[in-house]
């Protein structure tokens, strides 16, 4: 079986990158992490990539004339490593058409809420508590021009407890992210994902 090359975009802690690296290292995994691109220098995600011997490139916004030029450089790196799927795993920039069109329906994002609830913001877990919802969770979706609005690949619900703070809730959601994201990547690597409009079907 062909092993799919996956590129991962990161900006910070990189715990989801760690989960992907770990899963890709399992015997018979249908994908490998071929490249990591960070838009920030010196973040823990880069250390994780180095420890796993994964090629990592820093492409900072400030080093380019504008966001388009920076994101064109990101596409170039992903192409150099022959990435067939791209995962935004804690990447803190909105992806421009340049990137989306280079990888049509081949970019995944992980978001710490049950979309379309609490989309867009950086504080989805705190917003969930503020709103008083009883069920929170996380979503893997395909990236389209609509921020946090692309077809949903998978979601996991996480109950909100009376004792929750934003940090505690985020930690329990993160545990689920670390399961769900590698599982979603495997589905793509196995060619089992079919998209019809906003709906995703798993064959
Ligand atoms: C995660 O909560 C993810 O859902 C969100 O950003 C966070 C990234 O965490 N998009 P990490 O860098 O993977 O640890």
């Amino acid at each position: 079986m062909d092993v799919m090359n996956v590129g991962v975009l990161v900006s910070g802690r990189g715990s989801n990158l760690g989960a992907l690296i770990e899963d890709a290292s399992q015997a018979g995994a249908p994908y490998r992490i071929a490249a990591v691109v960070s838009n920030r220098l010196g973040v823990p995600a880069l250390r994780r990539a180095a420890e796993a011997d994964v090629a990592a490139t820093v492409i900072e916004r400030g080093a380019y004339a504008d966001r388009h030029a920076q994101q064109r450089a990101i596409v170039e790196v992903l192409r150099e490593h022959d990435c067939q799927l791209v995962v935004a795993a804690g990447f803190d920039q909105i992806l421009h058409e340049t990137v989306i069109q280079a990888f049509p329906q081949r970019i995944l994002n992980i978001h710490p809420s049950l979309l379309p609830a609490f989309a867009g913001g950086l504080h989805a877990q705190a917003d969930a508590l503020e709103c008083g919802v009883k069920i929170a969770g996380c979503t893997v979706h395909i990236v389209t021009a609509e921020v946090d609005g692309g077809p949903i690949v998978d979601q996991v619900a996480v109950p909100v407890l009376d004792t929750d703070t934003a940090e505690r809730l985020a930690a329990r959601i993160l545990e689920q992210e670390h399961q769900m994201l590698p599982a979603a990547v495997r589905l793509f690597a196995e060619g089992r994902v079919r998209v019809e409009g906003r709906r995703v079907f798993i064959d």
Side-chain angles (χ1 to χ4, degrees):
M1 187 180 59
D2 278 356
V3 171
M4 189 181 69
N5 284 341
V6 176
V8 185
L9 308 180
V10 295
S11 301
R13 178 177 58 184
S15 70
N16 279 291
L17 169 64
L20 289 169
I21 288 172
E22 164 69 22
D23 184 56
S25 75
Q26 302 303 309
Y31 69 98
R32 73 166 70 87
I33 306 304
V36 167
V37 177
S38 172
N39 62 335
R40 300 191 186 279
L41 205 64
V43 291
L46 288 167
R47 203 169 51 237
R48 288 183 199 262
E51 281 164 7
D53 269 331
V54 174
T57 311
V58 176
I59 301 185
E60 289 178 291
R61 163 67 189 84
Y64 294 83
D66 54 30
R67 194 163 61 93
H68 301 249
Q70 178 219 8
Q71 295 204 0
R72 273 198 298 275
I74 292 176
V75 169
E76 256 173 54
V77 169
L78 295 169
R79 286 202 169 127
E80 271 164 26
H81 289 89
D82 199 21
C83 295
Q84 287 113 38
L85 185 78
V86 179
V87 180
F91 188 66
D92 64 6
Q93 279 185 290
I94 291 172
L95 290 172
H96 184 261
E97 284 292 323
T98 313
V99 184
I100 295 172
Q101 282 165 13
F103 297 95
Q105 296 199 338
R106 303 297 287 179
I107 307 176
L108 302 182
N109 181 46
I110 179 132
H111 186 78
S113 78
L114 293 175
L115 291 173
F118 310 114
L122 289 174
H123 310 288
Q125 304 94 334
D127 293 348
L129 286 184
E130 174 74 22
C131 194
V133 295
K134 298 296 186 191
I135 308 282
C138 45
T139 302
V140 173
H141 68 94
I142 295 171
V143 173
T144 61
E146 188 189 341
V147 175
D148 290 334
I152 290 171
V153 179
D154 201 5
Q155 296 189 298
V156 174
V158 174
V160 177
L161 307 179
D162 290 348
T163 49
D164 268 340
T165 59
E167 291 71 29
R168 284 187 201 141
L169 179 59
R172 289 205 316 289
I173 292 174
L174 196 63
E175 279 174 29
Q176 299 305 318
E177 294 183 31
H178 294 166
Q179 304 297 316
M180 181 172 62
L181 184 60
V185 171
R186 281 183 181 243
L187 293 175
F188 276 81
E190 291 162 357
R192 295 170 57 197
V193 178
R194 188 163 44 89
V195 183
E196 287 178 24
R198 295 184 75 100
R199 296 186 71 190
V200 174
F201 299 91
I202 307 302
D203 294 327

